Structures are given as C-alpha cells and as structure tokens.
Amino acid sequence: GPTPPAGAGYLFPTLHNAATKIEVEKFNRVTIQRKNPAADDIVLERDPETSTWRITEPRNFAADAAHVSNLVLNLHSAKYDTEAKPVSWRTAGLYAPSRIVNLEAGDRMVTLTIGEVTEGEERAVAYVESSDRKGEVLVVRKGEIRTALEGLNYFRAKEILPGASEADRLKISQGSKQVELSRLLGKWRYVRPDYGEAEVGDLLAALGAVRVAYTDEETNDFVATDVKDLAKYHLDASKAEVLTIETTQGGRSVQALIGVSKKEGEKVFATTLRDPKSKSFDIVKVPAASVERFQKLLDDPGSLRDKNLVRLEGSPDAIDVKNPFGLLEFRRPDATRDWELYRGNMPVKVDLAEVRKLVDGLNRKDQVLSFPDPSRRKELGLEGPNVIEVTVWADSLVAPEAKKEDKEDKETPRAGKPSFRKDAKPVAVLRFGSRQGDGVAVERIWGDSKVLVLAPRELLAIVDQRPLDFFDKTVPPFNPGSAEEGVTRIEINRDGMRYDLKLEKGDWKIMAPENLKGRTANDEVIRALLGDLNRIRAKEIVAEQADAKVLGSEYNLEKPPVSIVVTLTKDGKEVPYRFDFGKARGEKGVYAKVSGSPAIYVVDPVVYAASARDLRDTTVLSFDPAEVVSASFKGWQKLLGSPTTLTVERKEGTWVVKDKADFKLDAGKVDDFLRGLSRLQAEKFVATGQGLAFAEGAFEVQLTLKDKRTLTLLVGAEESGAVYAQSSELKGETVLIRTPLFTGPRGAPAYFSK
C-alpha cells in the first residue's frame, strides 16, 4: 500500500515532519490549565542560562527535572488509537475539557485539549483534541499522556537541595558547629576548619537522599506552602536546634533548614530558601535518618579529610626517593615499557615486583591512619637531615627521541634519562619523619597544601631501601635459550671433591675422580643442574661489587665450599662461566658470585642441589626388547636344591624353551619381563651387596642380542622394598633396584609357564 505520511498516528504530527519537526530539548515552557476540577494553572519554564526547569505558577517552586522531561517526552511521542470507534464531541467531554496543555518552543506552540478520562489503568483511555488535528476527537491510552494528568506536587522537586552534586561550595552548620568546604579545579578542600583536602563524594550522594516522599497527590510529604511562622515546624533557629545546609553553584546559593530538634514519627520538617530575605516558606518532611550523616560530620569535622597519600589523575611515570642511600630516580615515560632506575644518567634494570610495591604502597587508597597536630612537626622528626623525601609525578615525562639504524631502517630508543615536560609539576611530595607506634609521621604536600599524617609503618621500610634492593634479581644466565646448548664441560668442586664431566659423542662421561673415570654420567642430573644454574633468581643483592678484602672473611667466597664451572664452546672457543657458593646468610640462603656480574647475591641452595646427587648413570640395563634373540634365567636353588637354568629362544617370531619340549611356555610373560628389564634404573648405588650367591637365593638373567652382545644382571637379597643387583653395564658397581619386577620370575620356573 502507499507509504503513510510523516507523523502518522502521532497526536502532534508536525513535531515529527522533517520540515516542521521540533526536538524534545527545544521546548522551554509548558502550561497546564486545570479546568475540571478547577485549580490554578501549572506553568513550567526552562531557565535559558542553566537549562533547568522551574515551576513559575501558581508559585515559584523548584521543579523535578525528570518528571518535567517525562511530560514533554510523553506528549511529544504520544499516539492515538487509529482504529478506535468515533465518539461525539459531547461524549468525549471536549465541550468542557478537564485540562488544556500547551507546549511552547520559542514562537511555536502546540496544544492538547483533554476531555473525558475513563476509570482504571490498563484499558483506560482519554478523549483529546490536538492542535495539529483540529476538530477531530482522538482516543489515546491513558498511559500515553499520564504525566499531563498529574497534580502540582508531582512536578515539584523532591530533593530539598536539587543539583547539589554540581555545587562548588558546601556549608553545614548547627548552633556553633560549622563545616565549610569548597571545590576548585575539581578538588574539594576544607575552608573551615582548615583541614586541607577533603573527600566529599559520599557526602554529596547523601545530600541526594534528603528528599520528600511522594506517592500521589493525596499521599506525599509536601506539608504546607506560604508559611510565615517557622517556629511552628521547629525551623526557627532562635528557638530550636536547626541543621542548616547551604550549597553554592556559580555564585547562586540555596539553603535548606532542617528541624532536627523534634521528629514527626521518623521524619523531620524542612524548608528550602533560595532568597535569604524570604518571609514565607514552603514546608516539607524528610526522613530523619537521611540527615544523621551531616550531624555526625559536625561532631567529627575531620571525617571527610582525604586519607590518601597520593591522589593520581593519570599514570605515575616518575618517582624520586631521597633517602640515606642517596637519590633513586625511577622513570617510565612509556606505559608499555618497564620501569628503570637511574643513578646519574645510567639506567639499571629493576626488580619490577619491588617497584610495584613502591608504587602501590604510595598510591594505596585511604591509608592515612590519623592526622597529628601540626604543632608537633619537630617532635615527629620532620625537621633535620634524616627526613626521607619521596616525590611523585604523573604523565610528566618526555621520552628520549628514537634514532633510526642505517642498515635496517629500524627505530631504537635513544640512550639518556627521560626529561620532564616544561609544565610538569609533582603530584605529591611526601616527607617521612620518625616512627610513631604502628605508624610513621609523614608531611604530605599537594601543591601549596601541607598536612601532617600518620601512614602505615611498613611504608617506611619500602622507601628506606638501598638501591640494590630495587635491582633486578635475575642472575645473568650463561645461555639465553636452552641451558644445555653449547655446553661441553662441567667441573664441580664440592666438599674437597672434584668432579670433571665432559661431553663425548653426545654422552656425558666422568673424567674425574679417578675411580669413576670413563663412567657414563647421569644425564637427568646434568640437565637439572644446568637448568637450575641458568635461571637463578637471587633473594637479595648484598653488594653491588665485591670488596676483595671481605670476599673471604664475610662471604667465604675466596675459597668457596662449592664452585661449579660450566664451559660453553662457541665458534671453536671455550668460554667458562663460574658459579661460587659461600657461607649461609641466616635462613635466607647462601652468598653467591657468578661470572659476568661483580655483585654478591644471596641465593637459595636449591640452585646447586643437583651437584650433590650421584653423578653416575643409574641405567642398570638398556636395550631394545625386539633385539633379544635368547634369554637365560638361572636360580631357584633354594626351591630345587641346585641352580637351575631356563633358556628361551626366539623362533619364527615367538619364544620357545630350549631343550625342554614339554615346558608350556607363556611367551607373553617373557615379553613383559624383558620390557621391564629394558628400562631398568637403579634407585641408588651401595658399597656392597647381599644375597648375590645362588645358595642365598640369587637370580641371574643373561640376554643375547642380535649384534652378539651379552648383557647380564644378577639380583640378590631384598631390603626395604628393593633388591641388591649387579649388572654387566655397571662395571663392578652394586645398586638397589625396585623389587616388584623380580618377585614372580625369581620365585619358580613355573612363573614363565602357562
């Protein structure tokens, strides 16, 4: 069908037509003529300077901005029922309308005449005439124009101090008690008493809660208008306790009087004064509980004092700490980069966790414990040479310009300390004095405001640290990637013993001591040792550079009890890295010194714990079960009276018993046993074995491989869940290995039968 014309269905189609439309926010005056029942007109006007709505008739009242906005929006967007049955002008009640509503926007005005309104809610309707549809009786749902049917009090402001959240000055008083605060450049501070910066967010929110209850025109807390005698409502300050709250915005002040001396149930009387010379007053009631917050403030004026040490609006990018150890300059001009510590113009990589403790400690919210008397400044240690000073900046730095490399045209950061912008000013300066119980005295300086506070004592421990405490505690690694890459030799000196390990054809061999020479080393132990040494993180840095005079006496690092030298071969050259571990530093760890760093560290002894493990390879047997061509099992003397041998051979892909055709062999058990033997590892090496003779119950396994090699394993007595064993691979060594694998095989030859 044809496209409906613009504005179809609306009460005021001209407000929606492109050529004649008026936006909701353009309306500046609303008149509601109350005809039946007759009552004073309600006139609502928008202030051209502040854009706030006020009631100008029947009297001057502050308006409920939300309710007025809803009225204009409802009428602007209201639609009528295009399918409703037509009714006569008389039936619609439009000969004697109940209300006439005019909406004005400059020199334009639209009018809604309201006639009969039916009872009820969901199905209730109103019969109306629109100035855009002259002579037509329109049926509209009551809900579409409900706000146009409301009474005067519906449009009155419910807050006794409307717009208080936008105020730039606030004064609260009761009798001789008074608190006054002002806002400048977005920051609140005390005017009276002179307590410095204040946090008033919660207080402004509490002002919004001091409001008049409104259900409908019959049920509300608007008490009376045009009252001359304030004493009747306990609002005469000369005769009763009256709480006064005054807000100022842009030079305009509004004052609220609240009669807190006497309650009406759970409520108290109040009135709002826009003109201090007023002789008549509008009385309302507000909840008594909503004003208790302000009475408590007068009893404790300091409760709003700003309890932050630092209040940042941007990101901290520079912190200076001047303490007994010198000047520490922390800089981070780019939030995507890490903090750096400057001593002069040279940056030092920092321990980010320690710097984060510093930043978080200074910037933690509400950590001020109390506000000492300013007259105690000297007593609190805030005068003299021992004061620690911390200065914090935010968004203040200019990063050094980048330079381009010629070859690859890449940008790299230019060396040098970041500089401050010309207009940069510190966010805060904190001067730390003496300890006071669980706190520390601090002079907090924000611009020209100085306040004495007590801060948590642990904050002093953070700012009173050495530069070393902020250094990165990662010990320089010998390999940036894999710890094993390029390592060809390891020398361990421990407790007077020297172990020399060398990589030969992919296997680590023990070159010293002499009694282990030629033995294969334990690859797992070597990997663990190299990995631990390559990622050491110190617990503490005790000296930036070791003093040769105290290297031995204080740290026991001149002739250390443990030293490890890791040699890497790079480009055909051997490069040694030395790790020395000295005496213990209490329970923290041991002193350490490493190649590539002049510092003395404290590290956990676990970083070299692998060097104390047995360096010998713990492999008892190593072979591929598929390569075994025959296996002999010998033993069972205690069961059969003499050593007995069971030999099996692999024929046509299965196992058969040699020379015993009547033995019903379970080939699966042979395969399982061989798989267990193929990855056999020792639990530990022991000096001597037990039960390794057949008469004592020993059990022997001999394997022949395809390459003609023969492997032998002799298993002896049990001890604590393990058995003594000797192997052809161990060259005369005795070890303990786990018992379960041998329990069945050594029990009887029948174990291998079906």
Side-chain angles (χ1 to χ4, degrees):
T3 302
Y10 286 104
L11 290 180
F12 299 110
T14 59
L15 302 183
H16 302 274
N17 188 298
T20 59
K21 69 185 301 183
I22 302 176
E23 300 295 344
V24 172
E25 59 271 14
K26 296 297 183 182
F27 288 97
N28 54 16
R29 181 181 170 92
V30 181
T31 303
I32 302 175
Q33 300 175 32
R34 296 185 286 179
K35 300 289 189 180
N36 187 17
D40 293 335
D41 290 353
I42 301 173
V43 179
L44 307 162
E45 296 188 55
R46 193 198 297 266
D47 188 314
E49 293 184 15
T50 64
S51 294
T52 57
W53 286 95
R54 288 198 59 76
I55 300 171
T56 57
E57 291 184 26
R59 289 192 58 236
N60 197 352
F61 294 113
D64 187 320
H67 283 182
V68 178
S69 296
N70 284 341
L71 168 66
V72 176
L73 179 62
N74 289 164
L75 297 184
H76 183 274
S77 59
K79 291 185 175 182
Y80 63 92
D81 186 350
T82 56
E83 297 181 1
K85 288 184 178 181
V87 298
S88 69
W89 198 260
R90 184 177 301 280
T91 301
L94 290 171
Y95 282 122
S98 58
R99 293 194 176 197
I100 298 174
V101 183
N102 297 320
L103 299 179
E104 299 179 45
D107 58 356
R108 286 190 54 192
M109 182 174 73
V110 293
T111 300
L112 181 69
T113 303
I114 303 173
E116 186 72 26
V117 180
T118 64
E119 297 291 332
E121 291 297 330
E122 290 186 11
R123 297 184 179 182
V125 298
Y127 298 100
V128 302
E129 180 196 23
S130 160
S131 57
D132 280 8
R133 299 183 185 277
K134 278 285 189 181
E136 295 183 52
V137 176
L138 306 176
V139 181
V140 62
R141 291 163 96 188
K142 182 179 179 181
E144 293 274 313
I145 61 167
R146 176 182 299 282
T147 49
L149 304 175
E150 296 286 357
L152 173 65
N153 288 333
Y154 174 82
F155 296 105
R156 289 179 63 180
K158 310 305 182 294
E159 297 177 3
I160 64 168
L161 288 167
S165 60
E166 303 299 321
D168 48 38
R169 200 169 186 90
L170 178 63
K171 184 191 294 184
I172 303 165
S173 61
Q174 183 178 341
S176 61
K177 295 181 285 188
Q178 187 177 104
V179 173
E180 186 173 357
L181 307 115
S182 68
R183 175 162 51 184
L184 180 64
L185 301 177
K187 295 180 180 179
W188 284 91
R189 61 174 296 127
Y190 281 86
V191 176
R192 189 179 297 109
D194 186 9
Y195 280 168
E197 287 68 23
E199 292 184 287
V200 303
D202 291 344
L203 189 71
L204 294 178
L207 275 175
V210 185
R211 54 187 298 122
V212 180
Y214 177 89
T215 303
D216 52 41
E217 286 299 304
E218 301 298 324
T219 309
N220 59 70
D221 282 336
F222 291 103
V223 177
T225 60
D226 203 20
V227 171
K228 302 293 191 294
D229 183 12
L230 285 177
K232 179 181 177 182
Y233 297 98
H234 320 293
L235 291 170
D236 186 343
S238 64
K239 298 179 181 180
E241 283 287 302
V242 176
L243 175 67
T244 303
I245 304 175
E246 181 178 336
T247 60
T248 303
Q249 181 185 5
R252 297 181 179 181
S253 295
V254 180
Q255 192 178 75
L257 305 180
I258 304 168
V260 294
S261 61
K262 190 170 182 179
K263 294 182 182 180
E264 291 280 326
E266 295 300 318
K267 298 181 179 180
V268 291
F269 292 107
T271 187
T272 301
L273 303 179
R274 292 186 174 274
D275 183 355
K277 298 179 180 178
S278 294
K279 300 299 181 181
S280 62
F281 310 93
D282 301 319
I283 308 301
V284 298
K285 285 192 288 188
V286 296
S290 69
V291 299
E292 290 177 356
R293 174 73 175 82
F294 305 96
Q295 292 178 282
K296 290 179 180 178
L297 173 61
L298 292 173
D299 292 333
D300 181 15
S303 61
L304 294 180
R305 299 185 76 170
D306 197 318
K307 295 179 176 61
N308 297 298
L309 285 176
V310 176
R311 183 180 288 279
L312 292 172
E313 294 180 0
S315 300
D317 58 359
I319 300 174
D320 283 358
V321 178
K322 191 184 296 182
N323 64 20
F325 302 100
L327 177 62
L328 287 69
E329 299 176 289
F330 298 92
R331 299 290 184 267
R332 189 177 69 163
D334 183 348
T336 63
R337 292 168 54 189
D338 293 335
W339 283 90
E340 290 181 322
L341 170 59
Y342 282 86
R343 303 172 73 195
N345 286 320
M346 295 301 296
V348 177
K349 192 175 180 182
V350 297
D351 184 333
L352 294 177
E354 288 298 324
V355 178
R356 178 49 57 192
K357 281 183 189 177
L358 173 65
V359 175
D360 291 347
L362 297 173
N363 197 38
R364 189 173 296 118
K365 185 174 174 59
D366 293 338
Q367 63 178 325
V368 171
L369 304 175
S370 63
F371 296 85
D373 188 333
S375 64
R376 297 180 57 207
R377 191 171 184 279
K378 185 175 182 179
E379 175 191 340
L380 296 173
L382 290 165
E383 296 179 8
N386 296 323
V387 173
I388 296 173
E389 188 168 286
V390 179
T391 308
V392 182
W393 287 267
D395 300 329
S396 63
L397 293 179
V398 179
E401 294 182 5
K403 61 179 180 180
K404 289 190 175 181
E405 297 178 350
D406 296 333
K407 293 182 180 179
E408 300 182 13
D409 196 33
K410 292 181 178 179
E411 287 192 350
T412 58
R414 180 166 296 181
K417 185 166 60 177
S419 57
F420 286 105
R421 303 180 191 277
K422 290 183 179 180
D423 58 346
K425 294 181 180 179
V427 173
V429 177
L430 307 174
R431 304 180 73 250
F432 289 78
S434 60
R435 296 179 178 87
Q436 304 290 316
D438 292 334
V440 58
V442 180
E443 182 177 42
R444 183 185 72 189
I445 304 171
W446 293 357
D448 58 355
S449 172
K450 294 183 180 181
V451 177
L452 298 191
V453 304
L454 276 187
R457 186 171 177 173
E458 54 266 25
L459 185 57
L460 178 61
I462 297 175
V463 301
D464 194 19
Q465 294 189 98
R466 306 166 303 161
L468 290 175
D469 296 321
F470 291 101
F471 281 15
D472 182 16
K473 296 178 179 61
T474 302
V475 176
F478 54 82
N479 254 332
S482 169
E484 302 166 55
E485 185 178 351
V487 178
T488 55
R489 200 177 191 101
I490 303 170
E491 181 182 334
I492 301 171
N493 291 279
R494 180 170 186 144
D495 302 326
M497 287 291 293
R498 175 179 173 273
Y499 298 87
D500 191 4
L501 311 175
K502 189 175 182 181
L503 188 65
E504 292 185 349
K505 297 180 181 180
D507 292 325
W508 284 96
K509 297 293 183 180
I510 301 175
M511 312 307 293
E514 190 64 29
N515 65 318
L516 298 178
K517 187 173 182 178
R519 291 291 303 274
T520 301
N522 190 325
D523 190 60
E524 179 187 340
V525 172
I526 291 172
R527 284 199 306 271
L529 178 62
L530 293 176
D532 290 342
L533 292 175
N534 197 49
R535 53 174 182 268
I536 298 176
R537 181 166 179 80
K539 291 187 172 183
E540 184 182 355
I541 304 175
V542 295
E544 192 171 356
Q545 187 163 355
D547 186 343
K549 294 180 181 179
V550 297
L551 198 61
S553 61
E554 190 165 334
Y555 309 121
N556 197 19
L557 287 169
E558 192 172 17
K559 295 179 180 179
V562 179
S563 67
I564 303 170
V565 179
V566 177
T567 301
L568 280 72
T569 300
K570 295 181 179 179
D571 301 326
K573 295 181 180 179
E574 291 189 342
V575 182
Y577 289 84
R578 185 181 179 93
F579 298 82
D580 291 334
F581 302 97
K583 69 180 183 182
R585 178 176 170 84
E587 296 181 355
K588 284 189 174 182
V590 298
Y591 294 110
K593 190 175 184 307
V594 303
S595 296
S597 173
I600 302 296
Y601 301 96
V602 175
V603 303
D604 193 319
V606 74
V607 303
Y608 60 88
S611 68
R613 293 170 61 184
D614 201 314
L615 297 174
R616 290 171 287 185
D617 186 4
T618 58
T619 302
V620 178
L621 289 176
S622 179
F623 60 91
D624 182 354
E627 296 293 309
V628 179
V629 295
S630 69
S632 294
F633 311 119
K634 183 179 179 180
W636 308 300
Q637 181 171 339
K638 286 186 176 183
L639 177 67
L640 303 175
S642 62
T644 301
T645 302
L646 177 67
T647 302
V648 297
E649 297 177 324
R650 196 189 298 271
K651 286 187 178 182
E652 297 179 1
T654 188
W655 292 102
V656 295
V657 177
K658 184 178 180 182
D659 301 331
K660 290 184 181 180
D662 59 340
F663 192 96
K664 295 182 179 180
L665 183 68
D666 188 333
K669 288 184 178 179
V670 176
D671 284 332
D672 290 343
F673 187 47
L674 293 180
R675 278 195 292 271
L677 293 174
S678 69
R679 50 181 180 268
L680 197 59
Q681 298 289 319
E683 292 291 295
K684 68 176 181 177
F685 289 86
V686 294
T688 59
Q690 297 177 25
L692 294 170
F694 290 115
E696 297 173 317
F699 179 72
E700 183 182 69
V701 179
Q702 185 172 311
L703 307 176
T704 302
L705 308 181
K706 288 180 181 179
D707 60 4
K708 308 300 183 183
R709 283 192 304 134
T710 300
L711 304 177
T712 304
L713 172 68
L714 181 62
V715 178
E718 292 188 23
E719 183 176 301
S720 302
V723 293
Y724 291 97
Q726 294 176 345
S727 160
S728 56
E729 301 291 281
L730 295 175
K731 297 182 180 180
E733 299 279 7
T734 302
V735 296
L736 284 172
I737 55 180
R738 290 186 178 179
T739 301
L741 179 63
F742 303 98
T743 301
R746 75 185 299 179
Y751 170 79
F752 292 102
S753 67
K754 292 184 179 179

